[in-house]
Amino acid sequence: MIHIIGAGLAGLAAAERLSRSHRAVTIHEATAQAGGRCRSYYDQATGMVIDNGTHLLLSGNRAALAFTEAIGSRSGLRGPDEAQFAFIDIASGEQWTLRFGDSRFPWWVFDKDRRVPQTGVVDYLPLARLAWAQTDKPIGEIMNCGGPIYDRFVGPLLLAALNIAPPEGSAKLAGAVVRETLALGGQACRPLLAYEGLGSVFVEPAITHLRGRGVVFAFEDELVELLFGNGRVSRMTFAKQTINLGENDAIILAVPPYVATNFVPDLVAPSSFRGIVNAHFRIDPPAHLPPMLGVINGTCEWIFPLPNRISATISDGGRLFDIPRAELAQIIWNDIAKVAGLSRDLPPWQIVRERRATFTATPEQNARRPAAETSWQNLFLAGDWTQTGLPATIEGAVRSGYRAADLVSHRLKAAA
Ligand SMILES: Cc1cc2nc3c(=O)[nH]c(=O)nc-3n(C[C@H](O)[C@H](O)[C@H](O)COP(=O)(O)OP(=O)(O)OC[C@H]3O[C@@H](n4cnc5c(N)ncnc54)[C@H](O)[C@@H]3O)c2cc1C
């Protein structure tokens, strides 16, 4: 039996991979719901099912897309046919749209009608430096974090991808994002959103698919202790049960790092985190809004018109955590009302503040990420915080789950 602890995307992806080879799998999840940091739920204040945060994927996120293909929900991720990003500078009212075309090479950089306004080809060279950074340093030491290309495109993009003010962020992680998306042209940069909610794309179809393959889900089954002996985990204690592990049993620990370090002796893992603020407003979005809108010089960073609502995201939003909720809702709504041409009267709203949305994507914290293999023969780690080479994203979480699953299969085959 393979026990997966944690039904976030890393745990679900691990189960998906293992279920292909018909391994017996049980997922133990502490809460009553799967999805972890990527979930939908019914919100009474707005009377809607909302996401804890609007999650953006890019068409270059190949593992995340493969996961949705496998569970049959790929069509739930939608976006414009072409890679395009609309921006507005809320201070000046200036608007522009970057159109990357549909090629496998970033030709758009050479086309002045597609580039960021007021930029030339040479302005994009720092992105190449970032993509091939050899040692991990703060981004601010590798490239100039100022000027039109930074303010109007690279800065907002890296802030969203890394969830940290880019000058402090890890150049290695930013480089991976550039290599896997921008450097591969428009084909890898098409924005994709779960318009009907994260649950309907990443969670419910996964549960149905996995149950169909015999995977057992144990909800409200919180791991409280691992017991070690002879280079293995010998026993798992949950809040309501104890399981002794035999020769053919293995564990994939797919919980957040601040939980994993409680169970695994001497585990070095990211120890600092950054928050994300999301606001949801119940209102029919005006038809003229683009599918997503980057906001410069506002409190809002991205505005998403979704069915019956408008949502806004603010990355690295720790500075907003102490503002009273109603006040914050009004501040965010004022930005939306201004760019969408709507009244400043607040529609029904909800604010979701995730304090530990991602690990802090600095070079120091990135260096603390552990490999999937541990010193214990039957214990493997998964999660967006393990050594994926990517920032804390769905793509990283899914890859980590797949990797842990492959290692378990390999280890069990070798032992058979
Ligand atoms: C607001 C917000 C916005 C985001 N936006 C984006 C985005 O736009 N694009 C993107 O790609 N990514 C985004 N992310 C990041 C993405 O959500 C995460 O990278 C991903 O969901 C992490 O999955 P995971 O499985 O590694 O961890 P988690 O989702 O944290 O899963 C861990 C699971 O373990 C469970 N658990 C914890 N302790 C125990 C225990 N003792 N026993 C059993 N189970 C336990 C938890 O309940 C949880 O279900 C965002 C995250 C947030 C919070």
Side-chain angles (χ1 to χ4, degrees):
M1 169 70 75
I2 299 161
H3 298 274
I4 296 174
I5 319 294
L9 286 184
L12 293 173
E16 190 280 309
R17 179 62 63 95
L18 289 165
S19 72
R20 291 187 210 174
S21 47
H22 306 288
R23 299 245 176 223
V25 174
T26 296
I27 304 189
H28 307 265
E29 165 58 46
T31 68
Q33 187 182 358
R37 277 170 284 153
C38 176
R39 64 186 188 282
S40 306
Y41 59 94
Y42 179 75
D43 170 58
Q44 284 208 314
T46 52
M48 297 186 298
V49 174
I50 59 172
D51 292 337
N52 65 319
T54 308
H55 281 52
L56 175 69
L57 278 87
L58 295 178
S59 45
N61 293 159
R62 56 179 195 275
L65 296 188
F67 175 70
T68 58
E69 285 286 355
I71 61 174
S73 61
R74 170 67 184 83
S75 61
L77 284 173
R78 297 196 302 276
D81 291 339
E82 220 194 33
Q84 50 177 269
F85 296 86
F87 286 93
I88 185 164
D89 182 331
I90 207 167
S92 66
E94 199 183 346
Q95 300 188 31
W96 62 97
T97 300
L98 305 181
R99 292 193 175 83
F100 293 176
D102 195 24
S103 75
R104 288 182 188 275
F105 187 80
W107 293 117
W108 60 275
V109 169
F110 300 95
D111 180 342
K112 81 171 177 18
D113 294 329
R114 289 179 183 267
R115 283 198 299 264
V116 179
Q118 299 164 21
T119 63
V121 178
V122 295
D123 293 323
Y124 293 79
L125 287 177
L127 282 179
R129 248 197 338 268
L130 200 56
W132 306 113
Q134 292 303 311
T135 50
D136 204 0
K137 290 181 181 169
I139 294 168
E141 289 182 23
I142 301 246
M143 63 181 274
N144 173 21
C145 293
I149 184 171
Y150 180 83
D151 294 342
R152 295 174 155 230
F153 173 51
V154 176
L157 177 92
L158 293 181
L159 172 59
L162 269 63
N163 194 27
I164 186 170
E168 298 174 61
S170 149
K172 275 250 177 241
L173 294 177
V177 173
V178 173
R179 279 197 311 279
E180 296 204 5
T181 55
L182 295 179
L184 298 180
Q187 284 226 337
C189 297
R190 206 157 68 79
L192 295 168
L193 291 172
Y195 281 89
E196 307 304 328
L198 295 169
S200 69
V201 173
F202 291 103
V203 185
E204 285 115 39
I207 295 176
T208 306
H209 174 83
L210 292 172
R211 280 194 170 134
R213 292 197 164 183
V215 172
V216 174
F217 281 83
F219 288 109
E220 299 181 313
D221 200 19
E222 183 183 1
L223 181 73
V224 290
E225 192 182 19
L226 293 179
L227 196 71
F228 297 85
N230 295 329
R232 303 169 54 80
V233 180
S234 54
R235 186 193 300 160
M236 302 184 294
T237 308
F238 294 88
K240 296 181 201 152
Q241 60 170 332
T242 297
I243 297 176
N244 292 315
L245 295 165
E247 280 299 306
N248 295 322
D249 297 334
I251 305 173
I252 295 177
L253 192 58
V255 296
Y258 47 86
V259 177
T261 47
N262 293 332
F263 300 136
V264 183
D266 304 324
L267 177 64
V268 175
S271 53
S272 109
F273 303 90
R274 294 286 164 120
I276 297 181
V277 176
N278 268 265
H280 305 277
F281 301 94
R282 183 176 188 138
I283 190 166
D284 286 328
H288 65 80
L289 280 179
M292 56 183 274
L293 180 62
V295 180
I296 312 291
N297 289 324
T299 300
C300 274
E301 289 162 4
W302 295 96
I303 294 175
F304 300 97
L306 299 168
N308 313 317
R309 87 199 64 164
I310 300 179
S311 297
T313 298
I314 300 137
S315 297
D316 197 2
R319 66 192 180 284
L320 306 176
F321 276 63
D322 294 331
I323 299 179
R325 299 164 58 75
E327 194 182 318
L328 182 56
Q330 186 68 63
I331 293 170
I332 296 173
W333 180 251
N334 289 349
D335 276 2
I336 297 174
K338 189 166 178 190
V339 304
L342 294 166
S343 147
R344 285 164 76 114
D345 295 344
L346 256 186
W349 57 272
Q350 186 54 276
I351 299 279
V352 188
R353 299 190 257 211
E354 289 266 12
R355 285 186 184 275
R356 293 190 282 198
T358 67
F359 72 85
T360 304
T362 54
E364 295 72 34
Q365 290 291 313
N366 190 32
R368 295 177 62 86
R369 296 168 80 182
E373 278 174 301
T374 68
S375 351
W376 291 276
Q377 219 189 337
N378 57 351
L379 177 66
F380 301 84
L381 303 175
D384 62 357
W385 54 278
T386 58
Q387 233 171 61
T388 64
L390 296 175
T393 50
I394 292 181
E395 177 68 11
V398 170
R399 279 195 208 174
S400 78
Y402 282 167
R403 166 119 183 100
D406 289 345
L407 288 168
V408 168
S409 295
H410 189 70
R411 186 75 50 92
L412 292 180
K413 250 188 228 150

